Coordinates of all heavy atoms in Angstrom, one line a residue:
R563 N 3.0 -8.2 -3.5 CA 3.5 -8.3 -4.8 C 2.3 -8.5 -5.8 O 1.3 -9.1 -5.5 CB 4.3 -9.6 -5.0 CG 5.0 -9.6 -6.3 CD 6.1 -10.6 -6.5 NE 6.6 -11.4 -5.4 CZ 6.7 -12.7 -5.5 NH1 6.2 -13.4 -6.5 NH2 7.2 -13.3 -4.4
L564 N 2.4 -7.8 -6.9 CA 1.5 -8.0 -8.0 C 2.2 -8.6 -9.2 O 3.4 -8.2 -9.4 CB 0.8 -6.6 -8.5 CG -0.1 -6.0 -7.5 CD1 -0.6 -4.6 -8.0 CD2 -1.3 -6.9 -7.1
D565 N 1.6 -9.5 -9.9 CA 2.3 -10.1 -11.1 C 2.7 -9.0 -12.1 O 2.1 -7.9 -12.1 CB 1.4 -11.1 -11.8 CG 1.1 -12.3 -10.8 OD1 1.8 -12.5 -9.9 OD2 0.1 -12.9 -11.1
T568 N -0.3 -7.8 -13.9 CA -1.4 -7.3 -13.1 C -1.2 -5.8 -12.9 O -0.1 -5.3 -12.7 CB -1.4 -8.0 -11.7 OG1 -1.6 -9.4 -11.9 CG2 -2.6 -7.5 -10.8
Y595 N -9.9 -7.3 -5.8 CA -9.4 -7.2 -7.2 C -10.6 -7.2 -8.2 O -11.7 -7.8 -7.9 CB -8.6 -8.5 -7.5 CG -7.4 -8.7 -6.8 CD1 -7.4 -9.2 -5.5 CD2 -6.1 -8.3 -7.3 CE1 -6.2 -9.4 -4.8 CE2 -5.0 -8.5 -6.6 CZ -5.0 -9.0 -5.3 OH -3.8 -9.2 -4.6
L643 N -9.8 -11.3 -1.2 CA -8.8 -12.3 -0.7 C -8.2 -11.8 0.6 O -7.9 -10.6 0.7 CB -7.7 -12.6 -1.6 CG -7.8 -13.3 -2.9 CD1 -6.5 -13.5 -3.5 CD2 -8.5 -14.6 -2.7
K647 N -1.0 -15.7 -2.0 CA -0.1 -16.8 -2.5 C 0.3 -16.4 -3.9 O -0.4 -15.7 -4.6 CB -0.7 -18.1 -2.5 CG -1.2 -18.6 -1.1 CD 0.0 -19.1 -0.3 CE -0.4 -19.5 1.1 NZ 0.3 -18.8 2.2
Y648 N 1.4 -17.0 -4.4 CA 1.9 -16.7 -5.7 C 0.9 -17.0 -6.8 O 0.3 -18.1 -6.8 CB 3.2 -17.6 -5.9 CG 3.8 -17.5 -7.2 CD1 4.5 -16.4 -7.6 CD2 3.8 -18.6 -8.1 CE1 5.1 -16.3 -8.8 CE2 4.5 -18.5 -9.3 CZ 5.1 -17.4 -9.7 OH 5.8 -17.3 -10.9
H649 N 0.6 -16.0 -7.6 CA -0.4 -16.2 -8.7 C -1.8 -16.7 -8.2 O -2.4 -17.5 -8.9 CB 0.1 -17.2 -9.8 CG 1.2 -16.7 -10.6 ND1 1.6 -15.4 -10.8 CD2 2.1 -17.4 -11.4 CE1 2.6 -15.3 -11.6 NE2 3.0 -16.5 -12.0
Q650 N -2.1 -16.3 -7.0 CA -3.3 -17.0 -6.4 C -4.6 -16.9 -7.2 O -5.2 -18.0 -7.3 CB -3.5 -16.4 -5.0 CG -4.7 -17.1 -4.3 CD -4.7 -17.0 -2.8 OE1 -3.7 -16.5 -2.2 NE2 -5.8 -17.3 -2.2
I651 N -4.9 -15.8 -7.6 CA -6.2 -15.7 -8.3 C -6.2 -16.5 -9.6 O -7.1 -17.2 -10.0 CB -6.6 -14.2 -8.6 CG1 -6.9 -13.6 -7.2 CG2 -7.8 -14.1 -9.5 CD1 -7.2 -12.1 -7.3
K652 N -5.1 -16.4 -10.4 CA -5.0 -17.1 -11.6 C -5.1 -18.6 -11.4 O -5.7 -19.3 -12.1 CB -3.7 -16.7 -12.3 CG -3.6 -15.3 -12.8 CD -2.3 -15.0 -13.4 CE -2.1 -13.5 -13.7 NZ -0.8 -13.0 -13.6
R653 N -4.4 -19.0 -10.3 CA -4.4 -20.5 -10.0 C -5.8 -20.9 -9.5 O -6.2 -22.1 -9.7 CB -3.3 -20.8 -9.0 CG -1.9 -20.7 -9.6 CD -0.8 -20.5 -8.6 NE -0.6 -21.7 -7.8 CZ -0.2 -21.7 -6.5 NH1 -0.1 -20.6 -5.9 NH2 0.0 -22.8 -5.9
L665 N -6.4 -8.5 -14.8 CA -6.5 -8.5 -13.3 C -6.0 -7.1 -12.8 O -4.9 -6.7 -13.2 CB -5.7 -9.6 -12.7 CG -5.7 -9.9 -11.2 CD1 -7.2 -10.2 -10.7 CD2 -4.8 -11.0 -10.8
Ligands
URA1826 N1 -3.4 -13.0 -7.8 C1 -2.7 -13.2 -9.0 O1 -2.9 -14.3 -9.6 N2 -1.9 -12.3 -9.4 C2 -1.7 -11.1 -8.8 O2 -1.0 -10.2 -9.2 C3 -2.4 -10.9 -7.6 C4 -3.3 -11.9 -7.1

Side-chain angles (χ1 to χ4, degrees):
R563 189 167 355 126
L564 292 177
D565 296 339
T568 301
Y595 295 83
L643 291 186
K647 301 279 177 237
Y648 180 67
H649 289 340
Q650 181 158 347
I651 293 175
K652 291 174 189 156
R653 289 160 72 212
L665 187 60

